């Protein structure tokens, strides 16, 4: 079959008049792969590769059938090739269609394209993340695994899905980072548990597994797109696994909010169609009281998945649930040996760039000499201090911390780690490495000037470099990171996803409510002054008094509405998963416009009614001040009650109509527009800007014109009512401008980031004045990592250490000393 396929591909290429290099350029397949295929040296043919070659050759249906016939074994029917001839996208990673039916439905084609797009984006993100974590610098640590204890895995017959009486094949007894994907492909159930100590490399192995499944040497048997989910935040008693997976897909890949022809989002459809392979990282980070429920929920499904956890926490959950993860095989990561340390650490201590001296060394020795004494003690195995250090440095996390502190920081001697007086226990050594990490990575650095021969160009480049990498003070950086770590603690459980739109929750609820009221009052006051002074025929003094009355009352109304939302857990707003397209065709969020409009209408009507009540109270207060009447005057009270009802109906119906129709302009975010937390923040900011541009004029007209309609309908019931168009336009303009600005600043994720994280938290010294730059810089320094649209601390142990240090110090810390970063 190999020779026949190679001959056929070579003949078709020759007929097309292409060289191997030209076909490689067209298809994206390497020349080496094409050469091996045509010469019959490639024994493993990926269907996706053949599809790409067929697309590059522009083959018709007849030629594709010949290729399919050659690919199919003698005792099976040909596997239909997909490609441009069949309307397919022709990507390297491609879910293979079932033989029947031959013509896929529209939903199947949409899902196939979405799976291809998602696989490409997942691979791109985690390749970049692996580079950021410096997994390959200077080379990957030899993380090895052995078969997990039998009590933590299911029966081999169940794992291999065998009928009764059939003997199971033995599983691979051991392997390493490079072979984990191959081992997973050999598990018929598709379920695997990866166990290990804290910092042993479970997350790194999960990333490598995902990348190998998406682009390894062999085909992905399961046809699923592996996606990493941080499972620590899952509450199985509150959210079903399927719904939780869909929610995280929408958060990290907002383009999956597009609707399928069947009406569901692409995220939900991919999960329901079994095209997602969940890689659940951090089972041990689930709250202790919820692990048993989580394991039981996973056992209630047959979904193929990969689960990572510390061995002890997983064993406790297995004991409580009286069963391991059903159908799951298990592997357990082994510790690193002194020989591993010698090979790795000696190559991380590079000679200094300019003077040839090893960091912390004397003279011109090679970089490896820095660790010679430590490595000699570790190899001997006779010194108790060396034994403690070998125990600590048996995990990739601690090796990475030691490398950062000693190999990459000048003037530090790793021999101090052998001091038995300073570090009498392994725990004290670990605390030392954790405590020294942040000060080391935030040590001041002076960038070398690029010698290009052009002084002006060099100065411009120096300015760009300084703007990109700030010299934050180590103590301040540690305090800010400690506040963020402390913020992730909620009641009796930790959170590990550091979402920029939730950082404002670190402020007390009362502070947030008061801030919303003040900001809204300012927006309404300024809007009233701007509109009335420009168009209303009243004196400036009267206009100023009116704004001073209307603004605070409007702010109080918005504050009360926000307080009600916060009391029921709605005080935090997730970033919009859509953007606005003000012209041209929109992709549309769905094919259920009536339901979309109804949901949006119902969500904003209460806020509009509260705003109308506040406006009526402001008008009553203004009349009482100018006419000298008592607030208890029956006529004034009657007018107030009527106005509260009328204005409440006007504002609520106008707001519901405007925000409902606004959904028609929404289109999902592009696949690459929100790939990072900063990208999602930027996309949300642009969406809010466009929302304001639409809301202000449309809400103005809705209030002015809708008010006349409501007054006509209620005049026969409530008596004579007046709503003249000029007055309605003034009220509408104040409501549209003040309401639009208040919504943008107080009821969107970007607005709350602006007023809480860019203003209040820096004022109290809990964050720097440019938190977005600080978070991105912390990621580049290796303190934080990215997981989709959120940040996480490099490791949960580092998060706990920083949070504990912050709580210990905040009693005598002086926020006023923080004026911002130095450059």
């Amino acid at each position: 079959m190999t020779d026949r396929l190679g001959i056929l591909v070579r003949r078709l290429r020759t007929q097309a008049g292409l060289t191997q290099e030209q076909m490689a350029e067209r298809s994206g397949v390497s020349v080496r792969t094409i050469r091996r295929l045509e010469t019959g040296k490639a024994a493993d043919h990926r269907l996706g590769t053949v599809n790409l070659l067929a697309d590059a050759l522009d083959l018709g249906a007849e030629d594709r059938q010949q290729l399919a016939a050659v690919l199919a074994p003698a005792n099976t029917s040909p596997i239909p090739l997909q490609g441009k001839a069949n309307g397919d996208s022709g990507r390297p990673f491609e879910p293979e269609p079932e033989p029947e039916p031959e013509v896929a439905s529209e939903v199947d084609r949409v899902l196939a394209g979405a799976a291809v797009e998602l696989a490409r984006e997942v691979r791109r993100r985690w390749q970049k993340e692996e580079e950021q974590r410096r997994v390959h610098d200077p080379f990957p640590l030899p993380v090895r695994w052995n078969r997990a204890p039998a009590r933590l895995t299911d029966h081999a017959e169940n794992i291999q899905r065998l009928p009764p009486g059939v003997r199971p094949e033995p599983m691979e007894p051991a392997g390493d980072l490079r072979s984990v994907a191959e081992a997973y492909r050999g598990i018929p159930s598709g379920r695997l548990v990866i166990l290990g100590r804290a910092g042993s490399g479970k997350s790194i192995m999960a990333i490598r597994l995902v990348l190998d499944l998406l682009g390894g040497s062999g085909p992905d048997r399961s046809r699923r797109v592996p996606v990493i989910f941080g499972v620590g935040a899952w509450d199985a008693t509150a959210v079903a696994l399927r719904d939780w997976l869909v929610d995280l897909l929408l958060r990290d890949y907002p383009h999956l909010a597009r609707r399928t022809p069947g009406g569901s989002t692409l995220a939900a459809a991919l999960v329901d169609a079994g095209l997602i392979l969940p890689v659940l990282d951090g089972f041990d980070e689930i709250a202790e009281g919820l692990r048993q429920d989580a394991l039981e929920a996973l056992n209630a499904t047959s979904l193929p998945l990969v689960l990572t956890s510390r061995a002890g926490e997983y064993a406790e959950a297995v004991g409580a649930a009286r069963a391991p993860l059903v159908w799951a095989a298990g592997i357990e990561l082994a510790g690193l040996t002194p020989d591993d340390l010698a090979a790795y650490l000696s190559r991380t201590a590079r000679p200094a760039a300019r003077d040839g001296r090893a960091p912390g060394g004397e003279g011109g020795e090679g970089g490896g000499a820095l660790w010679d004494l430590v490595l000699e003690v570790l190899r001997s195995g006779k010194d108790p201090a060396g034994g403690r250090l070998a125990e600590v440095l048996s995990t990739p996390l601690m090796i990475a911390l030691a490398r950062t502190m000693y190999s990459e920081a000048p003037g530090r001697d790793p021999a101090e780690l052998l001091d038995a007086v300073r570090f009498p226990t392994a725990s004290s050594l670990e605390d030392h490495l954790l405590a020294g990490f942040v000060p080391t990575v935030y040590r001041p650095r002076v960038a070398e000037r690029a010698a290009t021969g052009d002084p002006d160009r060099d100065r411009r480049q120096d300015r760009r470099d300084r703007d990109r990498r700030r010299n934050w003070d180590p103590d301040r950086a540690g305090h800010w990171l400690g506040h963020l770590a402390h913020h992730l603690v909620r009641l009796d459980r930790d959170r590990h996803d550091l979402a920029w739109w939730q950082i404002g929750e670190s402020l007390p609820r009362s502070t947030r409510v008061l801030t919303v009221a003040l900001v809204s009052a300012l927006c309404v006051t300024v809007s009233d002054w701007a509109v009335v002074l420009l168009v209303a025929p009243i004196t400036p003094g009267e206009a100023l008094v009116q704004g001073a009355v209307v603004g605070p009352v409007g702010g109080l109304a918005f504050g009360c509405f926000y307080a009600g939302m916060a009391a029921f857990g709605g005080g935090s707003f997730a970033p919009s998963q859509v953007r606005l397209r003000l012209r041209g065709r929109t992709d549309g969020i769905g094919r259920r416009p009536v339901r979309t409009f109804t949901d949006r209408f119902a969500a904003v009507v209460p806020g509009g009614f509260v705003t109308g009540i506040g406006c009526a109270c402001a008008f009553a207060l203004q009349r009482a001040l100018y006419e000298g009447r008592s607030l208890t005057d029956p006529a004034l009270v009657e007018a107030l009650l009527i106005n509260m009802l009328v204005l409440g109906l006007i504002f609520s119906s106008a707001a519901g109509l405007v925000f409902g129709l606004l959904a028609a302009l929404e289109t999902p975010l592009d696949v690459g527009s929100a790939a990072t937390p900063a990208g999602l923040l930027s996309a949300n900011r642009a969406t809010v800007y466009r929302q304001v541009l639409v809301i202000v004029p449309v809400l103005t007209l809705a209030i002015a014109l809708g008010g006349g309609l409501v007054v006509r309908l209620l005049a026969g019931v409530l008596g004579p009512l007046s709503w003249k168009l000029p007055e309605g336009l003034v009220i509408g303009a104040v409501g549209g401008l003040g309401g639009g600005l208040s919504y943008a600043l107080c009821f969107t994720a970007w607005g709350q980031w602006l007023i809480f994280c860019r203003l209040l938290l820096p004022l109290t010294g809990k964050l720097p004045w440019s938190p977005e730059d600080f978070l991105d810089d912390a990621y580049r320094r290796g303190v934080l990592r990215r997981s989709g649209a959120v940040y996480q601390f490099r490791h949960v142990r580092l998060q706990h250490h920083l949070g504990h240090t912050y709580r210990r110090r905040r009693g005598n810390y002086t926020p006023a000393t923080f004026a911002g970063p130095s450059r």
Side-chain angles (χ1 to χ4, degrees):
M1 188 271 284
T2 299
D3 292 336
R4 290 176 56 201
L5 179 62
I7 293 172
L8 179 58
V9 171
R10 185 165 57 252
R11 179 176 63 80
L12 293 173
R13 177 178 60 79
T14 303
Q15 289 177 354
L18 297 176
T19 65
Q20 291 180 343
E21 289 75 16
Q22 290 172 331
M23 188 161 69
E25 183 177 357
R26 284 191 180 188
S27 65
V29 179
S30 68
V31 176
R32 180 175 179 270
T33 299
I34 295 174
R35 186 177 298 116
R36 287 173 56 83
L37 183 64
E38 291 186 357
T39 57
K41 295 181 179 179
D44 188 9
H45 310 293
R46 295 193 66 185
L47 183 58
T49 301
V50 180
N51 280 328
L52 289 175
L53 298 179
D55 292 341
L57 295 170
D58 291 326
L59 299 183
E62 182 177 352
D63 290 331
R64 289 177 183 272
Q65 289 177 359
Q66 292 184 39
L67 281 174
V70 173
L71 281 173
N75 60 345
T76 61
S77 59
I79 303 174
L81 289 176
Q82 300 295 306
K84 294 177 182 177
N86 296 324
D88 197 78
S89 59
R91 300 294 185 183
F93 179 89
E94 182 173 6
E96 301 173 14
E98 298 293 335
E100 295 181 359
E102 295 183 1
V103 180
S105 67
E106 182 180 359
V107 175
D108 294 334
R109 288 194 296 271
V110 170
L111 289 184
V116 170
E117 190 176 51
L118 177 62
R120 185 171 61 251
E121 179 62 16
V122 169
R123 185 179 184 184
R124 185 190 69 80
R125 290 191 189 186
W126 288 110
Q127 279 180 332
K128 186 175 181 180
E129 190 65 22
E130 196 176 55
E131 293 173 1
Q132 172 64 24
R133 299 187 191 191
R134 304 173 67 181
V135 173
H136 300 282
D137 180 18
F139 59 86
L141 280 166
V143 179
R144 305 179 187 86
W145 53 266
N146 301 309
R147 195 182 305 167
R151 61 187 179 86
L152 300 181
T153 64
D154 204 346
H155 298 293
E157 294 84 353
N158 295 338
I159 297 172
Q160 298 180 24
R161 311 297 295 136
L162 298 176
V166 179
R167 297 186 61 182
E169 296 291 331
M171 179 185 168
E172 287 291 332
D176 57 17
L177 196 66
R178 296 168 297 180
S179 62
V180 63
E182 181 181 355
Y184 176 76
R185 290 191 181 99
I187 301 174
S189 67
R191 289 191 156 202
L192 174 67
V193 177
I194 302 175
L195 304 175
R197 297 169 50 195
S200 59
K202 299 182 294 296
S203 297
I204 293 297
M205 182 159 286
I207 294 174
R208 179 39 45 192
L209 172 63
V210 167
L211 292 177
D212 286 347
L213 289 178
L214 290 175
S217 58
D220 181 18
R221 172 189 52 77
S222 68
R223 301 182 295 119
R224 301 171 183 267
V225 182
V227 181
I228 296 178
F229 300 88
V231 75
W234 179 36
D235 182 353
T237 64
V239 184
L241 177 64
R242 180 261 186 195
D243 297 335
W244 179 77
L245 293 176
V246 171
D247 290 343
L248 261 66
L249 284 173
L250 291 174
R251 184 197 72 182
D252 294 338
Y253 306 92
H255 71 283
L256 296 180
R258 294 199 304 267
R259 298 282 180 178
T260 67
S264 63
T265 63
L266 282 174
L270 287 170
V271 173
D272 293 338
L275 294 177
I276 300 295
L277 172 64
V279 180
L280 306 179
D281 187 27
F283 177 82
D284 53 281
E285 296 170 3
I286 297 177
E288 183 177 358
L290 297 175
R291 291 181 198 136
Q292 177 184 347
D293 297 303
L295 184 56
E296 291 174 348
L298 294 176
N299 284 342
T301 73
S302 59
L303 181 68
L305 57 88
V306 177
L307 185 73
T308 75
S309 176
R310 284 186 286 187
E313 285 77 355
Y314 180 73
E316 292 177 1
V318 168
R322 293 182 170 272
L325 182 64
V326 298
W327 301 344
I331 61 176
E332 187 168 13
L333 305 189
L336 299 170
T337 66
D339 289 338
D340 297 331
L341 300 180
Y344 185 81
L345 290 176
S346 61
R347 288 175 59 178
T348 62
R350 278 120 174 181
R354 284 177 289 187
D355 58 13
R357 289 169 26 175
E362 301 291 338
E365 297 178 272
L370 179 70
W371 289 93
D372 282 353
L373 175 60
V374 174
L375 295 177
E376 182 179 350
V377 173
L378 292 179
R379 287 194 192 98
S380 68
K382 299 178 181 179
D383 190 336
R388 287 191 294 270
L389 182 58
E391 178 186 352
V392 170
L393 296 183
S394 63
T395 64
L397 171 64
M398 291 300 162
I399 291 178
L401 297 180
R403 164 188 176 162
T404 302
M405 287 183 62
Y406 297 103
S407 294
E408 300 173 8
R412 299 294 297 268
D413 187 356
E416 67 181 8
L417 297 174
L418 299 173
D419 189 338
V421 177
R422 287 183 61 188
F423 311 116
T425 63
S427 178
S428 61
L429 275 170
E430 293 177 349
D431 290 341
H432 168 71
L433 293 175
L434 289 168
F437 177 69
V438 170
T440 300
V441 297
Y442 280 97
R443 67 187 184 278
R445 298 181 181 181
V446 179
E448 295 183 17
R449 179 171 298 172
T452 63
D454 185 347
D456 292 335
R457 180 181 176 185
D458 291 345
R459 281 194 293 270
R460 289 194 299 269
Q461 183 62 41
D462 290 342
R463 284 195 297 269
R464 286 194 293 267
D465 290 341
R466 286 195 299 269
D467 288 340
R468 187 166 53 246
R469 191 177 184 88
R470 300 186 177 190
N471 279 330
W472 309 92
D473 180 82
D475 288 337
R476 298 176 184 178
H479 178 70
W480 296 326
L481 291 167
H483 172 75
L484 294 173
H486 173 67
H487 151 69
L488 294 177
V489 178
R490 282 294 179 269
L491 300 178
D492 61 340
R493 58 178 298 191
D494 291 345
R495 293 189 303 181
H496 305 284
D497 292 340
L498 183 60
W500 57 261
W501 61 91
Q502 294 176 340
I503 295 177
E505 293 181 11
S506 61
L507 290 166
R509 184 188 302 174
S510 58
T511 302
R512 287 182 281 139
V513 172
L514 179 61
T515 302
V516 167
L518 291 175
V519 171
S520 300
L522 182 62
C523 291
V524 176
T525 298
V526 172
S527 301
D528 187 272
W529 285 343
V531 172
V532 173
L533 288 174
L534 289 176
V535 301
I538 60 176
T539 64
E542 184 178 356
L544 292 176
V545 172
Q546 177 178 314
V549 172
V550 172
V553 174
L556 181 63
F558 278 108
C560 291
F561 181 66
Y562 180 84
M565 295 181 63
F568 291 97
S572 177
F573 296 89
S576 174
Q577 297 167 344
V578 300
R579 56 193 172 97
L580 292 186
R581 185 172 295 174
L582 300 182
R583 61 181 180 178
R585 178 182 176 273
T586 63
D587 296 330
I589 290 299
R591 299 193 174 187
R592 296 175 293 179
V594 174
R595 178 175 176 181
T596 302
F597 176 87
T598 303
D599 292 343
R600 190 70 59 85
F601 186 93
V604 300
V605 159
F609 199 86
V610 171
T611 303
I613 292 175
C615 188
C617 295
F619 289 156
L621 181 59
Q622 183 182 359
R623 287 185 60 186
L625 291 176
Y626 270 89
E627 298 177 9
R629 299 168 63 179
S630 172
L631 291 175
T632 59
D633 186 342
L636 187 62
V637 172
E638 180 182 2
L640 171 62
L641 294 176
I642 293 175
N643 284 339
M644 289 171 64
L645 176 61
V646 174
L647 292 177
L649 291 174
I650 291 173
F651 277 77
S652 61
S653 58
L657 178 65
V658 169
F659 282 91
L661 294 178
L662 200 65
L665 298 174
E666 293 177 347
T667 186
L669 292 172
D670 296 330
V671 63
S673 63
T676 64
L680 187 56
L681 176 61
S682 178
N684 195 235
R685 178 172 55 243
T687 296
V688 173
Y689 286 167
R690 293 194 172 198
Q691 284 178 330
V692 171
L693 291 177
V694 174
I695 290 172
V696 172
V698 177
L699 187 57
T700 298
L701 294 176
I703 292 174
L705 301 178
L709 179 61
V710 171
V711 166
R712 289 190 184 94
L713 293 175
L714 296 180
V717 179
L718 301 178
L721 299 174
S722 175
W723 186 271
K724 298 179 181 179
L725 184 59
E727 296 175 351
L729 286 173
V730 172
I731 296 175
V734 174
L737 184 58
L741 293 177
S742 298
Y743 163 78
L745 293 176
C746 302
F747 296 91
T748 65
W750 172 78
Q752 292 206 343
W753 163 265
L754 187 66
I755 63 175
F756 294 152
C757 301
R758 296 296 304 270
L759 181 62
L760 281 186
L761 286 171
L763 280 175
T764 58
K766 295 176 180 177
L767 282 183
W769 286 104
S770 51
E772 181 179 355
D773 292 340
F774 177 71
L775 291 173
D776 184 66
D777 184 63
Y779 166 71
R780 297 182 186 281
R781 293 176 187 266
V783 181
L784 300 178
R785 63 188 184 188
R786 287 177 186 161
S787 178
V790 300
Y791 290 106
Q792 294 174 341
F793 279 91
R794 180 188 185 115
H795 195 273
V796 67
R797 296 190 66 185
L798 179 62
Q799 174 185 326
H800 289 166
H801 173 81
L802 291 171
H804 176 73
T805 303
Y806 174 81
R807 287 186 290 273
R808 189 178 66 237
R809 296 178 58 188
R810 65 175 175 170
N812 54 13
Y813 215 85
T814 308
T817 61
F818 300 134
S822 60
R823 287 182 177 268

